[in-house]
């Protein structure tokens, strides 16, 4: 059998070199992968450039304020007119799987005002682009690689039968099972070679850090390929026509890659609704706008329960004072703090539920895995939002002593203002669980294929 298999693999290699369809399919997947690498890299480079440009905007804003206030300034004026930024830096692997970085904001403009309305601002984005998603290497592996596998495997048995060459094959000293195994093995080797080439090219082109995630990507792509070879083999053993196999395999792809993820999204909307966002925004706005009509003494008294260190500040006697203004801005945030934590908790819970539901779909599982490995999933964005919220607390800790000690703000004080950069990180727990799910799915589909083969003839005659 070993000699027969070796001969068969060599024959498949000769057939591959002369068969235009196999060469064309392989070339198309390479071109698609190459474009996916370029497209993902271009998007992340654009984001990096925008983040780098924030430093220029930051310095220009400070220069304008120094011109506007040439000597000293009230810290309230600086806090109101000065804009700083919370930055979400992409991981070095983000270009290979952009995930939600093209949906959620990767930087936030922050001022000393109430923070809740500032945490959820984002750029205007073409909704058609969001609907189709980013074309990156992950997209090629998740959606196009299965189509390539289906295209080169759907007629392995049926083509021999339809061409009338099956009898010639069976007249040779080789079983049909060995014959089909050799064909599948050659094609699996071809797919793995293409995957290795694309991942290696992606790492080299995007300058991704060569760490343990190389094995994660290779292992996940290999398991995912095995899964789809198992799906193809399950239909091959049914001994149906090429047309039947093609339609059914495309139907399975449509179910797993398109329909089930859409169903998962609907289930999430029903089972895990998140309504706190709207309630949070409305309540915070009501509290802030209502602060104008409340007595100043009452506002400051309430404020001092949270910041007792500023009780000795000078009283507010004028119609307007910055310390009073920022006090009711602070109270507006405080009024929705429990809602904010509930909102974040529900979003995190929803993300966890989405990851668990993705187990029913191998494409969704692989997407979850690659996003988690690149730090581009929803959990990474929520961690960034939380870090921006904490950064705003640092801004208040910097400015409040100026405000409530009636201390003038000097040009040199800009240098002491805190800065924010959040570095995205991979989520090892999520991609490890997704890898296990892919492994189980692959074992299950091959078990189904073996069972189906048992219900047919042992030699698939």
């Amino acid at each position: 059998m070993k000699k027969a298999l070796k001969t068969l693999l060599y024959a498949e290699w000769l057939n591959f070199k002369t068969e235009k369809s196999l060469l064309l399919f392989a070339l198309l997947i390479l071109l698609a992968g190459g474009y996916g690498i370029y497209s993902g890299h271009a998007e992340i480079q654009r984001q990096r450039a925008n983040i780098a440009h924030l430093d220029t905007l930051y310095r220009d804003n400070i220069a304008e304020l120094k011109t506007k206030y040439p000597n000293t300034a009230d810290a309230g004026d600086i806090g109101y007119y000065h804009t700083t930024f919370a930055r979400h830096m992409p991981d070095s692997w983000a270009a290979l799987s952009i995930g939600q970085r093209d949906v959620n904001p990767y930087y936030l403009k922050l001022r000393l005002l109430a923070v809740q309305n500032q945490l959820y601002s984002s750029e205007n984005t073409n909704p058609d682009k969001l609907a189709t998603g980013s074309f990156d290497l992950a997209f090629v592996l998740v959606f196009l690689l299965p189509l390539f596998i289906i295209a080169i495997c759907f007629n392995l048995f049926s083509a021999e039968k339809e061409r009338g060459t099956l009898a010639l094959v069976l007249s040779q000293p080789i079983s049909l099972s060995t014959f089909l195994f050799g064909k599948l093995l050659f094609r699996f080797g071809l797919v793995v070679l293409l995957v290795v080439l694309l991942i290696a090219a992606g790492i080299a082109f995007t300058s991704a850090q060569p760490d343990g995630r190389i094995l994660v990507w290779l292992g996940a792509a290999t398991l995912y390929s095995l899964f789809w070879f198992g799906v193809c083999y399950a239909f091959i053993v049914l001994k149906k026509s090429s047309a039947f196999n093609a339609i059914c395999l495309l139907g399975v792809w449509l179910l797993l890659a398109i329909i089930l993820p859409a169903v998962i999204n609907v289930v999430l909307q029903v089972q895990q609704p998140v309504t706190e966002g709207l309630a949070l925004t409305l309540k915070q706005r009501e509290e802030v706008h209502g602060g104008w009509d409340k007595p100043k003494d009452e506002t400051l008294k309430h404020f001092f329960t949270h910041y007792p260190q500023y009780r000795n500040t000078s009283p507010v006697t004028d119609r307007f004072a910055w310390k009073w203004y920022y006090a009711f801005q602070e109270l507006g945030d405080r009024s929705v703090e429990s809602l904010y934590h509930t909102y974040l908790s529900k979003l995190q819970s929803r993300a966890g539920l989405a990851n668990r539901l993705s187990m029913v779909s191998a494409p969704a599982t692989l997407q979850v895995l690659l996003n988690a490995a690149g730090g581009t999933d929803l959990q990474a964005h929520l961690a960034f939002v939380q870090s921006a919220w904490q950064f705003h607390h640092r801004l208040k800790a910097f400015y409040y002593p100026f405000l409530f000690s009636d201390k003038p703000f000097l040009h040199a004080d800009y240098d002491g203002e805190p800065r924010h950069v959040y570095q995205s990180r991979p989520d090892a727990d999520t991609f490890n669980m997704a890898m296990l799910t892919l492994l189980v799915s692959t074992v299950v589909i091959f078990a189904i294929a073996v069972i189906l083969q048992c219900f047919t003839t042992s030699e698939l005659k």
Side-chain angles (χ1 to χ4, degrees), residues 351-371:
L353 178 60
N355 291 345
R356 293 191 295 274
L357 290 177
S358 70
M359 295 179 182
V360 302
S361 166
T365 300
L366 182 63
Q367 188 71 70
V368 166
L369 187 154
L370 299 181
N371 289 346

Side-chain angles (χ1 to χ4, degrees), residues 223-224 226-227 365 433-445:
L223 277 176
Y224 187 64
L226 270 175
F227 172 84
T365 300
M433 181 57 67
M435 185 77 80
L436 179 61
T437 301
L438 275 179
L439 177 61
V440 172
S441 300
T442 302
V443 171
V444 168
I445 195 62

Side-chain angles (χ1 to χ4, degrees), residues 252 254-266 357 360-362 364:
V252 171
L254 185 65
L255 174 67
L256 296 181
I258 307 297
I259 296 176
L260 281 180
V263 171
I264 289 172
N265 187 55
V266 173
L357 290 177
V360 302
S361 166

